[in-house]
């Protein structure tokens, strides 16, 4: 893949500062995303780079940097870290943590199914992260299923989609519907808890609820069902006279 910038071709193997481009992973309207290597510490990273034609637009670089700053302020173990921003006349990009695992989208498309217990554990992990963004009033762009990475059967991570600005409740609602719908279709049927987990997912996707489930409610419900399925649900003490 090549892109001409001021007469310079950007390609696999190019070195930009402390980074070496390995291969292009995706292209968006504003950015291209590469897998790269941070040379000084030999770690794999993701590099999100402004497209050259976007760099020429007034205010585009400043807006990009403002969004990167918003991402850098997010510190949560469930959300991918942002490392640093790089700017010169020819390139504007930031480096971020490369998440290990498979995206929820790729697992969904491959027909993978999870047990009800696995789903409430993964949902709980994701919701912890999204709830933290809510608590800190961090604005984000819209999530898609590929922004959620399943590291293992009991660990999920979330890509850092923070941006400068004010939180949008409609984005939150769409994220809940996306996760509820995605997980509902990935439940392995016929196992203990399948009905309860499907009900939780359906609550998340119900756009007609007068008051949508909050992230805290989703987190509490996922933990409650998890504890029931693991046999850890506390039984209230017997009443004594």
């Amino acid at each position: 893949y090549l892109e001409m910038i001021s007469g310079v071709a950007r390609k696999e193997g190019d070195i930009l500062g402390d980074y070496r481009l390995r291969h292009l992973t995706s292209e968006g309207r504003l950015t291209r995303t590469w897998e790269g290597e941070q040379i000084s510490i030999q770690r794999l990273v993701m590099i999100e780079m402004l497209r050259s034609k976007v760099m020429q637009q007034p205010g585009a670089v400043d807006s990009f940097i403002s969004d990167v700053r918003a991402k850098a302020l997010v510190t949560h173990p469930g959300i991918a870290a942002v490392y640093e921003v790089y700017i010169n006349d020819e390139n504007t990009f930031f480096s971020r943590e490369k998440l290990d695992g498979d995206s929820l989208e790729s697992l969904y498309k491959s027909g993978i199914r999870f047990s009800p217990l696995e789903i409430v554990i993964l949902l709980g992990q994701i919701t912890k992260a999204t709830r933290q963004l809510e608590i800190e009033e961090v604005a984000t762009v819209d999530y898609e299923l590929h922004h959620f990475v399943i590291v293992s059967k009991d660990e999920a991570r979330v890509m850092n989609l923070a941006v400068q600005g004010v939180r949008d409740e409609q984005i939150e609602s769409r994220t809940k519907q996306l996760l509820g719908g995605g997980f509902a279709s990935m439940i392995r049927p016929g196992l203990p808890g399948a009905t309860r987990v499907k009900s939780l997912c359906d609550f998340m996707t119900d756009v007609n609820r007068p008051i949508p489930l909050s992230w805290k409610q989703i987190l509490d419900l996922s933990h409650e069902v998890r504890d029931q399925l693991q046999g850890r649900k506390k039984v209230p003490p017997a009443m004594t006279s």
Side-chain angles (χ1 to χ4, degrees):
Y1 291 95
L2 302 177
E3 183 178 1
M4 297 300 294
I5 308 176
S6 309
V8 177
R10 193 163 63 224
K11 60 188 184 302
E12 294 177 8
D14 276 0
I15 293 176
L16 308 172
D18 192 24
Y19 298 92
R20 179 186 290 111
L21 301 181
R22 287 167 57 93
H23 61 266
L24 190 68
T25 61
S26 64
E27 298 188 68
R29 187 173 54 86
L30 302 178
T31 61
R32 282 191 163 113
T33 303
W34 296 75
E35 182 183 291
E37 178 190 3
Q38 189 170 1
I39 300 165
S40 60
I41 54 178
Q42 297 185 315
R43 73 174 165 191
L44 292 180
V45 297
M46 301 306 293
I47 293 171
E48 194 158 331
M49 189 174 292
L50 262 187
R51 298 175 74 110
S52 57
K53 62 184 179 184
V54 177
M55 282 180 63
Q56 315 307 321
Q57 298 170 7
V61 172
D62 288 344
S63 176
F64 182 77
I65 299 306
S66 293
D67 288 345
V68 176
R69 286 193 180 121
K71 290 174 174 60
L73 290 172
V74 174
T75 54
H76 187 278
I79 300 174
V82 165
Y83 297 135
E84 63 180 321
V85 69
Y86 177 100
I87 312 169
N88 65 16
D89 290 340
E90 295 171 350
N91 304 288
T92 299
F93 68 81
F94 72 94
S95 60
R96 57 177 167 83
E97 180 183 1
K98 181 180 186 295
L99 296 180
D100 294 321
D102 296 305
S103 75
L104 201 52
E105 180 180 60
S106 65
L107 293 172
Y108 174 83
K109 287 181 175 176
S110 68
I112 292 287
R113 295 292 177 264
F114 295 106
S115 72
L117 177 58
E118 288 164 351
I119 283 180
V120 286
I121 288 173
L122 294 172
L123 181 59
Q125 294 256 326
I126 291 170
T127 304
K128 265 188 188 174
T130 51
R131 173 158 162 68
Q132 189 62 34
L133 294 174
E134 178 185 47
I135 290 170
E136 296 179 10
E137 297 185 353
V138 177
T140 70
V141 295
D142 267 296
Y143 285 92
E144 296 175 30
L145 285 180
H146 67 83
H147 293 127
F148 304 101
V149 176
I150 308 304
V151 180
S152 65
K153 291 296 178 75
D154 59 0
E155 184 183 0
R157 305 280 308 282
V158 180
M159 289 191 192
N160 191 331
L161 300 190
V163 290
Q164 190 72 27
V166 179
R167 277 181 73 79
D168 182 341
E169 286 188 12
Q170 290 186 326
I171 287 178
E172 282 192 80
S173 296
R174 287 195 292 267
T175 304
K176 292 167 187 173
Q177 291 162 16
L178 176 76
L179 286 168
F183 276 128
S185 62
M186 297 177 81
I187 300 171
R188 203 176 298 137
L191 294 178
T195 304
R196 274 174 288 176
V197 175
K198 178 71 164 56
S199 293
L200 171 55
C201 291
D202 288 345
F203 279 142
M204 292 173 64
T205 57
D206 184 2
V207 292
N208 296 316
R209 284 178 66 84
I211 303 174
L213 285 182
S214 67
W215 286 120
K216 183 180 187 307
Q217 286 174 309
I218 294 167
L219 183 62
D220 290 346
L221 286 167
S222 64
H223 284 175
E224 186 179 309
V225 177
R226 177 200 66 189
D227 290 349
Q228 288 171 349
L229 293 175
Q230 289 180 330
R232 297 192 308 183
K233 186 69 178 168
K234 292 179 181 175
V235 179
M239 295 292 289
T240 54
S241 55

